[in-house]
């Protein structure tokens, strides 16, 4: 090993990576609580159990992500703290008023999270990428939602318009909180932009890709978007 | 094999066993929701995560138990139905008013459930016993509660009296719902009494043993009971 080689080791975990993991960990923890809460809107025991299963998957993600933060030598509570306000605000603004809205929110949230994990996996160091891909592989608990929502629309077509509006509002609120986070957290924005905080256009393109994937999910649900 | 031996095969799953599994499955599912809900009372993220972990363990129990009901050829939703009202009523009457009450309820509930699993394991067929012992082995997520409650009492000794009263109320409500269930579900009562529905005294002794174990847990928490 020469001096020169030793001077260029694999990049250590940057502040941006810790911030990203903190954001994802807190988002997962809150998703756990929100899904468990929304499941209580279900009247059928089997529906309750299905949504509870999605909640439990989110808690597994939280454990993986916060475990990785600790492994990187950072404090998970501290890493999550900056994201408490924007994520809590998102959920406060998007409390489902009934079971169907809860289902759509679970499905939309799960889908956007999976897309986001897929995009960021490429930007991360090997070890963090493995964690993110593990979380990603555990997604897909929301497939049962498609049957339920399509069934509800078949029974009452008027439901489709209301749920499509609801889904659009969910994405709007998510994007507005995401832009706020990107603006406030420079290191995180730099990481997502692939190295330069100035490349905020990159983040815009990432959001655009996520929005496209969202439109496809809306079709799957039978909701024209 | 003689005719005589063939006439005495291992007892198939009786209605009592299905009822018991339905009771335990619904109790676990509701415990999941209540613990997730109570965790939201925590201000510290690490406290939230600890209680959420207990909730997730309960959901695992629910999955095991309802899976076993299906294996026995019964419908889990139907098996749980008779216990929805008494268990929901128990929780409606014991909603914690703060974080400490939530912790004590989690600890007391977890402990009583574990004792109960230990007692009934002896009464069950081999296959059901294995499930019940698996659930039992997964208990003990509540140990962190001891530290928190003792810490709270050290900081403010007046807390002890209030929490001791609260714990007594929890047990009283649990026993009153349990007696109601035993009175309404003859097959279940017969199973728990070890074969004869007339032996309700057996159930009384079981409750007494559970109450003793509860008193020991109260000491562990630093609560004179």
């Amino acid at each position: 090993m020469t001096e020169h080689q030793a001077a260029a080791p694999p990049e250590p975990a940057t502040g941006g990576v810790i911030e990203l993991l903190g954001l994802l960990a807190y988002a997962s923890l809150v998703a756990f609580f929100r899904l468990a809460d929304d499941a209580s809107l279900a009247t059928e025991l089997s529906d309750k159990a299905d949504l509870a299963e999605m909640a439990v998957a989110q808690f597994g993600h939280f454990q993986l992500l916060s475990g990785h933060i600790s492994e990187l030598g950072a404090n998970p509570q501290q890493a999550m703290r900056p994201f408490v306000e924007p994520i809590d605000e998102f959920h406060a603004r998007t409390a489902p008023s009934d079971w169907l809205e809860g289902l759509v929110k679970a499905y939309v949230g799960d889908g956007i999270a999976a897309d986001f994990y897929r995009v960021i996996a490429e930007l991360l160091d090997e070890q963090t990428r493995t964690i993110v891909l593990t979380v990603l592989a555990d997604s897909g608990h929301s497939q049962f939602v498609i049957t339920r929502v399509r069934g509800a629309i078949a029974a009452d077509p008027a439901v489709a318009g209301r749920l499509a509006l609801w889904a659009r509002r969910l994405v709007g609120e998510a994007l507005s909180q995401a832009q706020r986070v990107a603006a406030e957290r420079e290191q995180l924005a730099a990481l997502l932009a692939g190295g330069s905080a100035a490349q905020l256009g990159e983040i815009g393109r990432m959001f655009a890709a996520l929005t496209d994937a969202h439109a496809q999910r809306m079709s799957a649900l039978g909701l024209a978007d």
Side-chain angles (χ1 to χ4, degrees), chain A:
Chain A
M1 262 217 184
T2 67
E3 277 292 315
H4 180 72
Q5 282 172 319
E11 194 93 348
T14 63
V17 169
I18 300 292
E19 285 192 342
L20 178 65
L21 290 167
L23 163 66
L24 299 176
Y26 189 69
S28 303
L29 182 63
V30 175
F32 165 77
F33 286 117
R34 301 316 308 162
L35 286 167
D37 206 29
D38 295 347
S40 69
L41 295 168
T43 47
E44 282 302 310
L45 286 176
S46 59
D47 286 339
K48 270 193 217 289
D50 281 339
L51 212 55
E53 192 176 325
M54 285 186 69
V56 168
Q58 289 295 331
F59 189 73
H61 300 173
F62 160 74
Q63 285 182 308
L64 259 179
L65 294 160
S66 69
H68 191 51
I69 294 172
S70 299
E71 277 164 24
L72 293 175
N75 178 317
Q77 320 303 328
Q78 250 173 301
M80 291 193 279
R81 195 92 52 208
F83 308 105
V84 168
E85 212 185 295
I87 291 175
D88 285 358
E89 174 117 356
F90 167 75
H91 285 289
R93 287 170 174 274
T94 58
S97 64
D98 66 10
W99 167 239
L100 280 173
E101 288 190 2
L103 279 183
V104 170
K105 183 174 172 183
Y107 182 79
V108 166
D110 212 50
I112 291 183
D115 290 338
F116 185 66
Y117 284 130
R118 209 169 283 121
V119 171
I120 60 169
E122 296 165 28
L123 304 170
L124 300 169
D125 60 281
E126 185 63 32
Q127 206 194 354
T128 307
R129 175 161 51 237
T130 305
I131 298 288
V132 163
L133 291 176
T134 306
V135 168
L136 181 60
D138 186 51
S139 299
H141 294 270
S142 60
Q143 288 308 305
F144 75 97
V145 174
I146 295 178
T147 323
R148 309 291 167 94
V149 172
R150 286 189 166 261
I153 294 170
D156 176 11
V159 158
R162 175 168 72 86
L163 291 182
L165 260 178
W166 167 244
R168 218 170 294 148
R169 200 175 120 213
L170 289 173
V171 174
E173 294 289 352
L175 286 179
S176 107
Q177 295 303 328
Q179 275 158 347
R180 169 179 163 189
V181 166
E184 282 173 7
R185 315 298 304 178
E186 251 181 46
Q187 290 182 304
L188 179 60
L191 174 72
L192 295 180
S196 160
Q199 291 177 298
L200 277 168
E202 278 301 317
I203 296 186
R205 271 191 286 282
M206 181 190 290
F207 284 158
L210 295 180
T211 310
D212 284 352
H214 170 71
Q216 287 171 21
R217 275 189 296 275
M218 289 302 97
S219 304
L221 287 180
L223 303 176
D225 197 39

